[in-house]
Amino acid sequence: MDNARPIGVFDSGIGGMTVVRAIMQHLPHENIVYFGDTARVPYGPKSPQVVREYALQDTDVLLKHDVKLIVIACNTVSAVALDVVQKRAKVPVVGVIIPGAEAAVKASAKKRIGIIGTLGTIFSNAYTNAIRQIDPAVKVTGQPCPLFVPLAEEGWIDHKATELIAKEYLFPLTLEKVDTVVLGCTHYPILRKIIQKVLHSDVTLIDSGEATTVAVKKMLKDMHLENTSTQKPNLKFFVSDVPHKFMEIGEQFLGTKLGKVHRVEGFLT
Ligand code: DGL
């Protein structure tokens, strides 16, 4: 077993870079291969059938790179396609829903949790079901926030328009008196400051990508799959459309330079 094999991460596009960022912080010696399906993003408004099909194709890209474990960074994919990806891959697969749900239940003293995500994630009820499995007494309120994705990609992280939209979206969660909110979408950690401001400082925000990284770290340790090398890790980025925009926004999401980004051919909408 070669522990230097990379961790594979995939997402519908750029957003999964927030998860790569968390992996780089918590697991600084792991090699990473990332695939973002930039030709077909967004997945959020698409039907579960389409997302499941896309997820299998994304998985195949990573499997070609001999990954030792797959992280589904995309909440929408994790919500509706975890089972098909697990079936396809011969390696362990981790989605963001269960780690996010576990972290939220742990954090919520009042047992009142809000979930924000894409339409696909919220309508799937995946977070609600995962939370109820852990603690049936928790009251869960889901709220789709589809406009947060383009706002984050536009870099409007401190913009009045974003604050106005956040107030509109998050008002139902305030009414429900939630004490914990799951950032159930790859893009939302970028808007964390404004979301926290609108929800008030006593509400705990859970970054599902960060929670997943903690779970991955434990999993690698338990399975004796940690990379023991202390060399600078190798990071490889692949996308399905021309890489220009990915490079520009990806660096903001990742918080560091990306290096070369490669295009994978054959992904048509
Ligand atoms: N990556 C998606 C998610 O976390 C957001 C962007 C999209 O709709 O594809 O759900």
Side-chain angles (χ1 to χ4, degrees):
M1 198 57 94
D2 177 10
N3 288 9
R5 286 178 304 152
I7 293 176
V9 182
F10 79 87
D11 179 50
S12 55
I14 290 164
M17 299 301 269
T18 57
V19 181
V20 171
R21 186 181 190 151
I23 295 175
M24 286 168 69
Q25 276 164 6
H26 291 270
L27 295 159
H29 303 302
E30 294 296 338
N31 299 313
I32 299 171
V33 173
Y34 181 89
F35 175 65
D37 189 7
T38 49
R40 303 188 296 197
V41 70
Y43 285 10
K46 296 192 168 77
S47 70
Q49 289 82 346
V50 167
V51 173
R52 284 162 77 83
E53 202 55 46
Y54 285 1
L56 285 178
Q57 293 162 3
D58 302 343
T59 303
D60 289 343
V61 173
L62 293 181
L63 291 175
K64 287 198 184 106
H65 291 273
D66 192 24
V67 293
K68 62 180 174 185
L69 178 142
I70 290 177
V71 177
I72 306 177
C74 182
N75 286 255
T76 310
V77 173
S78 301
V80 302
L82 177 64
D83 58 336
V84 288
V85 175
Q86 278 175 330
K87 211 164 154 205
R88 172 71 60 103
K90 302 267 177 300
V91 294
V93 177
V94 190
V96 291
I97 305 290
I98 295 169
E102 283 172 350
V105 172
K106 218 182 246 178
S108 178
K110 290 196 207 150
K111 295 185 189 278
R112 297 184 85 83
I113 298 175
I115 310 293
I116 54 175
T118 64
L119 290 161
T121 298
I122 300 304
F123 291 154
S124 74
N125 279 323
Y127 272 111
T128 308
N129 295 337
I131 289 171
R132 296 244 172 88
Q133 284 236 316
I134 304 164
D135 184 348
V138 175
K139 171 93 169 57
V140 187
T141 308
Q143 174 65 44
C145 306
L147 291 173
F148 280 175
V149 169
L151 287 168
E153 290 197 9
E154 210 49 46
W156 286 18
I157 51 175
D158 214 4
H159 196 289
K160 271 197 191 125
T162 309
E163 188 168 341
L164 204 69
I165 290 166
K167 278 186 179 150
E168 188 78 24
Y169 279 150
L170 302 176
F171 183 61
L173 301 186
T174 311
L175 276 186
E176 285 296 331
K177 298 192 169 35
V178 298
D179 69 351
T180 303
V181 170
V182 179
L183 304 174
C185 174
T186 47
H187 289 61
Y188 298 0
I190 300 290
L191 303 177
R192 187 181 189 123
K193 226 172 94 189
I194 247 169
I195 294 170
Q196 186 78 69
K197 184 175 167 195
V198 170
L199 283 171
H200 305 303
S201 55
D202 54 351
V203 172
T204 306
L205 298 184
I206 302 294
D207 178 341
S208 61
E210 176 112 40
T212 301
T213 302
V214 174
V216 167
K217 187 171 180 174
K218 183 173 182 309
M219 224 166 146
L220 290 180
K221 191 163 187 273
D222 291 350
M223 298 173 90
H224 307 290
L225 275 177
E226 294 161 299
N227 189 11
T228 46
S229 159
T230 49
Q231 302 274 309
K232 200 165 171 272
N234 200 349
L235 309 176
K236 285 190 185 149
F237 298 99
F238 296 87
V239 288
S240 52
D241 198 353
V242 283
H244 313 308
K245 195 167 176 237
F246 180 88
M247 288 184 74
E248 190 192 307
I249 306 172
E251 288 181 356
Q252 288 169 27
F253 275 48
L254 192 64
T256 179
K257 286 258 171 259
L258 277 185
K260 196 161 164 38
V261 178
H262 307 267
R263 181 173 180 199
V264 180
E265 301 290 335
F267 280 78
L268 298 174
T269 44

